Amino acid sequence: MNEHQSNAEPVADVEMRIVALPWHLSAVRAVAADLAMRADFDLDAISDLRMAVDEACSALISRAVEGEVLVCRFDVRPEQIHFSAQVPTTSTAAPSRESFGWRVLTALADSVNTWVTTGESAHHVLRVDLVKKRLGKVPQ
Amino acid sequence: MNEHQSNAEPVADVEMRIVALPWHLSAVRAVAADLAMRADFDLDAISDLRMAVDEACSALISRAVEGEVLVCRFDVRPEQIHFSAQVPTTSTAAPSRESFGWRVLTALADSVNTWVTTGESAHHVLRVDLVKKRLGKVPQ
Amino acid sequence: MTDNSLTNISVSARRLDTETVVVVVTGEIDMATVPRLRETVNDEMAACRSLVLDLSKVSFLGSAGLEVLVEVLHMATSRQVSLCLVADSRTVRRPLEITGLAEMFTIYPTLDDALPTTP
Amino acid sequence: MTDNSLTNISVSARRLDTETVVVVVTGEIDMATVPRLRETVNDEMAACRSLVLDLSKVSFLGSAGLEVLVEVLHMATSRQVSLCLVADSRTVRRPLEITGLAEMFTIYPTLDDALPTTP
Ligand SMILES: Nc1ncnc2c1ncn2[C@@H]1O[C@H](COP(=O)(O)OP(=O)(O)O)[C@@H](O)[C@H]1O
Ligand SMILES: Nc1ncnc2c1ncn2[C@@H]1O[C@H](COP(=O)(O)OP(=O)(O)O)[C@@H](O)[C@H]1O
């Protein structure tokens, strides 16, 4: 996972690496909530970021190669939090944008993106990025 | 930071990498509390682990080379949580075991250790390891 | 730690009378904990006429949980079991509202409101 | 995010009369937030005879915070200011007890208990 240390990507404020298992979702949500609270997001926005991060990680975990590591990064800025997560996968297809989960994700975050990159190793890397603004859109 | 990926150290359940700044202590404490809660620690033991992790990371952050990364790892087992943290430092001396902070740390955790390793790079690495048992000692 | 026994949920069922069951969920409903919820509700649904799902103590509800709620609603409809939710917190209300699911369920703010009044 | 303005603490001072000040701390007292606490208490201590430090809404207290409390106690003693803490939660009580500092302070469970009763 050396590419995360390259100059191309600035060091994230917080990076978490966990084995890609549902059991770990809770710890990632805890960090999301802590960062949003300290960045002075209101209660709805904190709750939305927590759900969006859960949604993104759940999608990645369900498509991860067994035993591989999910890497999550949070970049906290005064007006927004950028969250990015990735995992090794066997499929070259990104998650369907028609799924229930994806629709929930786009409702919660101000912007969302997902794509697959083909690396040198045996596996592809599936990535989800999202941005939640402190005073961003309010779902519904 | 490639040594963390070596075979010598098994993948931690949760690894966090943060720029070694006090602002980030809160996120590490949030993960400590989440993991201890889900490992069914009682409220005092959750509170103790949260304080011990804060104590260990505060000691490392105050001795870190500016701009360097603090790496924290949590290994969760049914009966205990092993926490280990390290940071690049300029001094070859470990924190004093006579300090107030160290005494608080040893009161809270079931075992604590700290040492400095001299790496190939310009800086040394200061490390603190601690274990908190689910049914371990009760301070006082 | 991958032990399934260490999850952040508790699901308990309480039978009020021959017809009515209350299922109380405490903790976080996510991809890790949803199997336990599904299993308990399936079991109870097979042997009641009215099911109250008390979500007052739920501290997280993501789309894995929402999907189970939709399944439960379909199951209740096809088995002619009367179903209602107890939910008052932002944590539970907000995901239901954002997804439009709130309109599909009967939701009471407290368990007392959900139970039939004894004359 | 290294901006110091985004910290998890709020410290506010309220003057009750010419002699008494109540300082209310909300949030987490750690290495990041302790400077704000120290500054406010220093300022208020310079101009009162009695200082009540209300820690009821503190959600974390680590040794950085304990060290400031010890400093404040020393300062109060040398300036002959009467000092007391308001603390009831496990979060605040436990660090004070583990370190033996609880015995050095006058601690009340609520703000009402800490304030002199008006006849
Ligand atoms: N609009 C909706 N409202 C409520 N539940 C839905 C909706 N769409 C889908 N679901 C539920 O989610 C389940 C999975 O839907 P799907 O679109 O396949 O999502 P995913 O690929 O994220 O699992 C469906 O079987 C259904 O129970
Ligand atoms: N036994 C104690 N009880 C309360 N406070 C203490 C105690 N020992 C030290 N302190 C406080 O902590 C401060 C720092 O103590 P020190 O032993 O140098 O710890 P550290 O090296 O962790 O900063 C002291 O100036 C004092 O205010």
Side-chain angles (χ1 to χ4, degrees), chain B residues 41 45 48-49 52-53 56 73 75 77 79-84 105-113 128-137:
Chain B
F41 281 38
D48 291 352
L49 179 69
V53 162
R73 297 208 202 89
D75 279 286
R77 299 287 164 262
E79 290 310 320
Q80 65 177 49
I81 292 178
H82 180 124
F83 174 76
S84 123
L105 189 49
T106 52
L108 293 166
D110 290 279
S111 71
V112 195
N113 206 356
V128 177
D129 271 41
L130 65 90
V131 173
K132 182 71 188 171
K133 294 190 195 295
R134 194 164 68 82
L135 303 170
K137 73 171 169 193

Side-chain angles (χ1 to χ4, degrees), chain C residues 1 12 17 43 52 68 91 93 99 106-107 119:
Chain C
M1 164 59 55
S12 67
D17 52 47
D43 288 355
V52 180
V68 170
T91 309
R93 288 253 171 201
T99 54
T106 308
I107 308 179

Side-chain angles (χ1 to χ4, degrees), chain A residues 55 63 96 98-103, chain C residues 63 66-68 70-71 74 99 101 104:
Chain A
E55 206 58 63
R63 289 163 178 86
S96 159
E98 306 303 316
S99 73
F100 179 56
W102 188 262
R103 275 181 285 134
Chain C
S63 75
L66 295 171
E67 289 180 14
V68 170
V70 172
E71 276 173 43
H74 291 161
T99 54
L101 291 177
M104 299 172 59

